[in-house]
Amino acid sequence: MSRANRSVEELYGEAKGGRRLALGRLLTMVERGGVDAESIGELANPDVGKAHIVGITGAPGAGKSTLTGQLVALLTVAGRRPAVLAVDPSSPLTGGAILGDRIRMDDIGGGSSSSESAAGAGSARPETAFIRSMATRGHSGGLALAVPLAVRLFDAMGYDPVIIETVGVGQVEVDVVGAADTAVVVVTPGMGDAVQANKAGLLEVADVFVVNKADRPGANDVRRDLELMLDLSHVTGQEEVGGHRPPIVMSTALDGTGADSVWAAVEEHLLFLNDSGRRLDRRHHRIRTEIRALMEQALGRRIDDAMNSTMGIDLVAQVEDGSRSPTAASAQLLDRLLGPQ
Ligand SMILES: Nc1nc2c(ncn2[C@@H]2O[C@H](COP(=O)(O)OP(=O)(O)OP(=O)(O)O)[C@@H](O)[C@H]2O)c(=O)[nH]1
Ligand SMILES: [Mg+2]
């Protein structure tokens, strides 16, 4: 790996010294990916490993950002330094919601949340939380690479906990949350919401369930549905022996009711992880996932190069004129790329 370039190194040093603007710029580089992002990964590496990584997911509009804002308020009052990474939903369903997220969470976080809005950097008020929205702009694998790196960066900067908010609709999003130390799944009263969460694969990854919008009718029904599903997964042996049955916590994020219980459940799960040795398993899984995503990206680049090489262009032409099958062409290119398998 090449030496981190100078400007990235300087920014890293500034960010380490508490300059929020510098951290915002580093996060923009992480978001873009490429060599600068790689350099940041190298620089942060010796400093990571302390933060409690918490994933918060759930359907669009479940109240994840509102709840996260309440948690951030609670944590900063308690003297913690939380960081929040709100992954910009690329889904057209929720597109545009992120600006609202930013404003709402900025109100609570005390100001700066990104390089663009780090105006509070010079204010006298001690700012302990750092909140950042991250857009991955449709890069394939962008989210899978940028999120773990941003988490590492926050961790290296001494932020703890690091909270990741994602909409629980796609596999990548579920994976991101599943790779956290503690995965919080937010459901709301509404027809079959618990069933939807189950379908989206969120039941398996949940360490803590939050029934948010408990001020609305039907909250207790959702709770009951979740209990039943958990009983069922227990009966069918999905729950490991000595495992952790995810608690179900009621919350009204709108006014903060229950946020303290949500955080208590999250902390309790961390204790369980530490006591049982499972925290190392999570870390192991996270590292494997991250290395795999990096390899996939690097291989993807080499595949593109191979397709654009003379050999690639010739092979495409041969498939076009019928003298070779796509399977044979791909095998030949792979042989060239990786050596005979
Ligand atoms: N009644 C009620 N409304 C809530 C509660 N929590 C959040 N809301 C409202 O639900 C809406 C969505 O809240 P968000 O926090 O943006 O939800 P989200 O899950 O972050 O949404 P996306 O990021 O767009 O998926 C907002 O209008 C909130 O004010 C709650 O406890 N009760
Ligand atoms: Mg949100």
Side-chain angles (χ1 to χ4, degrees):
M1 178 64 60
S2 62
R3 230 182 116 260
N5 81 55
R6 231 181 108 63
S7 67
V8 176
E9 244 182 81
E10 278 173 12
L11 276 176
Y12 188 86
E14 286 179 21
K16 202 77 197 158
R19 288 214 49 207
R20 299 168 67 90
L21 201 62
L23 179 51
R25 287 183 62 189
L26 289 172
L27 286 161
T28 302
M29 292 172 174
V30 167
E31 201 168 20
R32 287 200 196 113
V35 279
D36 285 342
E38 279 171 18
S39 301
I40 292 166
E42 291 297 310
L43 288 165
N45 203 46
D47 298 330
V48 298
K50 291 173 214 80
H52 180 192
I53 303 168
V54 179
I56 297 189
T57 193
K64 300 176 293 297
S65 298
T66 312
L67 175 65
T68 302
Q70 296 288 359
L71 294 177
V72 164
L74 201 131
L75 286 162
T76 48
V77 167
R80 302 282 299 267
R81 273 184 84 205
V84 176
L85 188 65
V87 178
D88 195 347
S90 48
S91 137
L93 264 179
T94 53
I98 206 68
L99 189 63
D101 278 0
R102 229 176 227 182
I103 291 164
R104 275 202 301 282
M105 297 216 289
D106 281 1
D107 287 344
I108 295 155
S112 139
S113 73
S114 70
S115 53
E116 298 83 23
S117 62
S123 95
R125 182 176 165 188
E127 290 172 337
T128 51
F130 199 102
I131 295 162
R132 169 76 182 211
S133 300
M134 180 167 276
T136 45
R137 303 201 181 92
H139 287 307
S140 87
L143 198 129
L145 292 177
V147 171
L149 184 52
V151 169
R152 281 170 170 276
L153 183 57
F154 280 133
D155 183 2
M157 294 293 149
Y159 287 96
D160 182 22
V162 177
I163 300 174
I164 313 163
E165 178 196 332
T166 67
V167 180
V169 286
Q171 192 55 50
V172 185
E173 285 80 359
V174 174
D175 287 349
V176 162
V177 168
D181 291 316
T182 302
V184 178
V185 172
V186 182
V187 294
T188 50
M191 279 236 300
D193 207 32
V195 179
Q196 288 308 319
N198 192 8
K199 277 197 193 137
L202 294 178
L203 215 62
E204 288 98 276
V205 297
D207 297 305
V208 173
F209 281 107
V210 173
V211 176
N212 190 44
K213 308 198 185 183
D215 54 317
R216 293 204 174 158
N220 280 319
D221 296 341
V222 186
R223 182 194 189 115
R224 195 203 51 222
D225 289 351
L226 285 172
E227 292 285 7
L228 283 173
M229 280 183 212
L230 289 174
D231 288 347
L232 213 62
S233 72
H234 181 67
V235 169
T236 54
Q238 280 174 20
E239 198 182 40
E240 307 148 74
V241 179
H244 177 270
R245 181 176 166 118
I248 302 169
V249 186
M250 308 303 272
S251 144
T252 303
L254 213 52
D255 65 8
T257 307
D260 51 349
S261 307
V262 171
W263 192 253
V266 168
E267 295 258 271
E268 198 180 312
H269 179 255
L270 181 65
L271 281 180
F272 161 77
L273 285 182
N274 284 330
D275 290 350
S276 63
R278 301 269 172 93
R279 192 166 185 195
L280 291 176
D281 297 345
R282 296 272 168 133
R283 188 164 166 266
H284 179 83
H285 170 69
R286 199 156 55 228
I287 290 170
R288 274 185 68 97
T289 309
E290 191 172 356
I291 293 177
R292 200 168 198 287
L294 285 163
M295 285 172 70
E296 276 176 9
Q297 192 205 37
L299 267 184
R301 275 201 298 252
R302 289 179 62 187
I303 290 171
D304 287 341
D305 290 347
M307 291 302 298
N308 294 325
S309 69
T310 316
M311 185 183 173
I313 291 164
D314 285 352
L315 283 167
V316 170
Q318 287 169 30
V319 174
E320 276 175 332
D321 71 22
S323 63
R324 199 179 291 267
S325 72
T327 310
S330 116
Q332 207 168 326
L333 280 166
L334 276 175
D335 278 356
R336 165 66 81 83
L337 204 63
L338 307 169
Q341 296 301 294

